[in-house]
């Protein structure tokens, strides 16, 4: 029964991807020069995978194995600017029909032209703390879901962006040597600052309704 169910899901997903890929594509739209991500730009909650592909043309592709940043969990979605790491955006949807955007992610690049409220890939602890207006807490590094901010402590980044979407940020660094220990690490901790982690993932979560 389980195998049959999984097979059914796989078949429906395959048919959906074929339908989307067969959709007519309009001319590619150039991203805004300032690279600012908001709740309505470059995508909004109302976009579907099909409408994104129609709007962005060849600069939007389906990817069935986008990485969540937690363990080995992946999800199907749409990638904007897949050939330009500095402009790449990964878009997830509320379910496998891809009719409504649920999140937007910056990941898999050292830097990005995009930013959310001033936070971007490669931002330092000090830079993000300045934007937030106060120290914040980070989950212990090199664990499942490690490096994610777990508490903005009431700072500016704790509040929804105009339009209701929220930002999530993950810090990291290639080597474990010198990494601060502890379940909740303050961005103001001297050892954390010395280790110098940078933002490796920025996620914008859109409101459900």
């Amino acid at each position: 029964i389980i195998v049959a169910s999984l097979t059914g899901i796989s078949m429906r997903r395959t048919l959906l991807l074929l339908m989307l890929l067969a959709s007519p594509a309009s001319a590619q739209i150039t991203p805004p020069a300032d690279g600012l991500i908001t709740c309505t730009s470059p995508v909004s909650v109302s976009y579907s995978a099909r409408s994104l592909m129609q709007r962005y043309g060849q600069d939007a592709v389906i990817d069935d194995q986008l990485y969540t940043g937690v363990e080995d969990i992946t999800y199907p979605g749409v990638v904007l600017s897949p050939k330009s790491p500095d402009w790449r955006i990964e878009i997830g949807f509320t379910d496998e029909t891809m009719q409504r955007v649920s999140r937007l992610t910056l990941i898999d690049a050292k830097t990005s032209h995009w930013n959310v409220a001033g936070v971007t890939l490669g931002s330092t602890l000090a830079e993000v703390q300045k934007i937030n207006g106060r120290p914040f807490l980070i989950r212990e590094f090199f664990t499942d879901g490690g490096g994610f901010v777990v508490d903005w402590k009431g700072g500016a980044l704790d509040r929804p962006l105009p339009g209701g979407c929220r930002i999530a940020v993950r810090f990291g660094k290639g080597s474990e040597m010198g990494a601060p220990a502890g379940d909740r690490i303050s961005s103001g901790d001297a050892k954390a600052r010395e280790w110098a982690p940078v933002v490796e993932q920025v996620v914008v979560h859109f409101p459900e309704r």
Side-chain angles (χ1 to χ4, degrees), residues 13-50:
R13 181 173 289 175
T14 300
L15 289 173
L16 175 64
L17 295 181
L18 289 173
M19 179 185 72
L20 292 171
L21 292 171
S23 301
S26 60
Q28 175 180 332
I29 294 180
T30 304
D34 59 3
L36 177 64
I37 291 174
T38 69
C39 297
T40 58
S41 177
V43 301
S44 69
V45 69
S46 62
Y47 274 100
S48 65
R50 179 168 182 161

Side-chain angles (χ1 to χ4, degrees), residues 67-174:
Y67 178 49
T68 60
V70 180
E71 297 180 334
D72 295 322
I73 302 173
T74 61
Y75 64 95
V78 171
V79 179
L80 299 184
S81 301
K83 296 181 180 179
S84 302
D86 287 351
W87 285 109
R88 180 185 175 96
I89 292 178
E90 299 180 359
I91 301 166
F93 300 86
T94 55
D95 57 41
E96 63 177 17
T97 65
M98 300 188 193
Q99 295 300 309
R100 184 181 176 86
V101 171
S102 64
R103 62 186 174 275
L104 175 158
T105 304
L106 306 180
I107 194 173
D108 290 338
K110 292 184 178 180
T111 60
S112 176
H113 293 298
W114 297 106
N115 76 86
V116 184
V119 180
T120 188
L121 298 182
S123 293
T124 66
L125 279 177
E127 289 169 343
V128 178
Q129 181 172 302
K130 183 177 180 180
I131 293 169
N132 190 51
R134 64 185 64 183
F136 51 87
L137 299 180
I138 307 166
R139 182 173 297 156
E140 183 177 7
F141 295 95
F142 301 104
T143 60
D144 291 338
F148 272 108
V149 175
V150 293
D151 191 346
W152 291 111
K153 304 299 289 184
L157 297 176
D158 203 19
R159 298 188 288 271
L161 301 173
C165 54
R166 289 182 175 274
I167 183 175
V169 174
R170 187 180 196 176
F171 287 86
K173 192 173 181 179

